Amino acid sequence: MKVGDIKFQTIWIKPENPSVIQIIDQRKLPFKFVIEDIASVEEMFIAIKDMHLRGAPLIGAAGAFGMYLAVIEKDTKTKTSEYYQEVAQYLVSSRPTAVNLEYSVNRILSRLLETKDHDRQKRAALTEALAIVGEELENCRRIGEYGQNLIQQISQTKNGETVNILTHCNAGWLACIDYGTATSPIYFAHDKGIKLHVWVDETRPRNQGARLTAWELGQHGVPHTVIADNTGGHLMQHGMVDMVIVGSDRTTVTGDVANKIGTYLKALAAKDNNVPFYVALPSSTFDWNLTDGVNQIPVEERDASEIRFVEGIEGASVKIVDTLPKNSPALNLGFDVTPARLITGLITERGICKASRESILTLFPEKKV
């Protein structure tokens, strides 16, 4: 995707220093566009945990690069397999819900344990991390190709009139390497000339929809409108939403989906109003070991300060404002789980399937046990 006239991905190796990873600091958007240097495991842990970067595919790539940094910063005289295993556990603990993180970190770890030669470990970690980046980018591109067909079908039934799409949180290119998951079909359809409009949930408490998705769509010229989180149901009741597309942080083999808190409520409203509800995700977001999302997927509880304080810009200054009564406590759960029964379909890099074990494993037969 482009920012202005410059093409960006969300994470890359600093051209003049291969020991440094660079990211777009999403905390600063949309007020400032800031590139952050990450040069250690600890800095990568903080970047993931404190959401300098976020989004399941991007978190996975960041974890992989974190393991690469572990090889670089480790004293070659004292390196041990236990060290790399400890680093892997440390990085995975930064965001427990998104399964991509664990998948990518363990994938690098397995390569590191194949040899004790430091130079080979460094090459292997870098090669595998770049492979993960490339795979996630291609996955999102394919999701866009498959998903645009759904939008085109609705456009045809409406005789070319505008297709209204509702999305929640940010499952755009900022959350991935490029294209996005939920937004990829939108970008493909828009670029194909299909008339569409996106309802963008603000997505409290961190406002990833209002701050990130709206910024993204604006950069690409996609018509959109930011709405309060609780507006979607009303719009569906009045025929103003043709489909919902969201992303996922972890999806069970039976089709239950963990996504940003509030997704479940959108799915309930969509079901009640016969609005198609789709989840776009790459295969790296499936947890092939879980069958009951509500009871098995760990839901991250984040600091209550994210609910208490909001950030905005006044003139040239970015200000943080306290919005709650001084003595009122707050509960900040990062995710909820949408049961498979509420989901119309899953859009993956291998095609579109129902949210069921049988349908999912038809697309991914190698995961059958």
Side-chain angles (χ1 to χ4, degrees), residues 69-80 83-84 118:
L69 293 174
V71 181
I72 294 176
E73 69 181 39
K74 184 71 182 72
D75 183 347
T76 59
K77 295 181 180 180
T78 60
K79 67 179 183 298
T80 63
Y83 163 76
Y84 291 123
H118 185 262

Side-chain angles (χ1 to χ4, degrees), residues 33 117-118 133 173 200 219 232 239 273:
F33 185 81
D117 181 82
H118 185 262
V133 167
W173 73 270
V200 180
Q219 290 288 318
N273 291 279

Side-chain angles (χ1 to χ4, degrees), residues 56-316:
L58 177 55
I59 289 172
F65 278 123
M67 293 299 292
Y68 164 67
L69 293 174
V71 181
I72 294 176
E73 69 181 39
K74 184 71 182 72
D75 183 347
T76 59
K77 295 181 180 180
T78 60
K79 67 179 183 298
T80 63
S81 60
E82 287 78 12
Y83 163 76
Y84 291 123
Q85 289 168 342
E86 289 173 1
V87 171
Q89 292 174 359
Y90 175 63
L91 287 170
V92 169
S93 71
S94 61
R95 295 295 303 277
T97 300
V99 73
N100 301 62
L101 178 58
E102 183 178 4
Y103 163 79
S104 297
V105 166
N106 287 339
R107 183 168 156 181
I108 304 297
L109 176 62
S110 65
R111 293 297 308 277
L112 293 178
L113 298 181
E114 292 174 355
T115 178
K116 293 184 178 180
D117 181 82
H118 185 262
D119 289 337
R120 289 182 179 178
Q121 288 177 332
K122 183 177 177 180
R123 287 196 298 271
L126 179 57
T127 299
E128 200 69 18
L130 291 174
I132 289 171
V133 167
E135 290 166 15
E136 292 293 6
L137 189 154
E138 179 63 12
N139 287 344
C140 287
R141 186 188 69 79
R142 291 179 179 177
I143 287 170
E145 290 183 337
Y146 284 114
Q148 74 167 340
N149 294 327
L150 296 172
I151 299 174
Q152 185 170 17
Q153 289 168 14
I154 295 174
S155 175
Q156 290 171 348
T157 64
K158 297 186 69 174
N159 297 317
E161 293 184 11
T162 300
V163 179
N164 289 292
I165 304 167
L166 186 144
T167 191
H168 187 65
C169 195
N170 173 256
W173 73 270
L174 286 168
C176 303
I177 308 301
D178 206 341
Y179 300 105
T181 53
T183 60
S184 190
I186 293 170
Y187 290 133
F188 272 79
H190 172 78
D191 291 349
K192 197 173 181 178
I194 297 172
K195 291 176 63 176
L196 56 82
H197 166 266
V198 183
W199 297 110
V200 180
D201 276 355
E202 60 184 346
T203 320
R204 287 279 295 143
R206 293 183 67 99
N207 289 331
Q208 291 104 316
R211 294 183 58 162
L212 302 180
T213 302
W215 180 81
E216 267 194 41
L217 295 173
Q219 290 288 318
H220 202 73
V222 177
H224 64 279
T225 304
V226 178
I227 57 174
D229 282 352
N230 294 323
T231 306
H234 171 83
L235 297 178
M236 292 183 211
Q237 282 182 327
H238 291 271
M240 300 172 69
V241 178
D242 296 303
M243 67 186 304
V244 180
I245 312 178
V246 300
S248 171
D249 287 86
R250 186 184 300 230
T251 295
T252 68
V253 70
T254 53
D256 298 333
V257 171
N259 193 51
K260 177 67 178 181
I261 194 78
T263 303
Y264 175 44
L265 296 178
K266 298 301 180 296
L268 287 170
K271 187 73 170 181
D272 192 52
N273 291 279
N274 297 312
V275 175
F277 184 97
Y278 287 95
V279 179
L281 73 158
S283 54
S284 55
T285 303
F286 281 105
D287 190 326
W288 304 103
N289 299 312
L290 299 188
T291 59
D292 182 353
V294 173
N295 294 303
Q296 292 179 327
I297 294 178
V299 171
E300 176 183 1
E301 182 176 348
R302 298 184 58 80
D303 194 278
S305 63
E306 293 180 351
I307 292 178
R308 175 171 290 280
F309 297 99
V310 295
E311 189 176 52
I313 191 166
E314 182 179 358

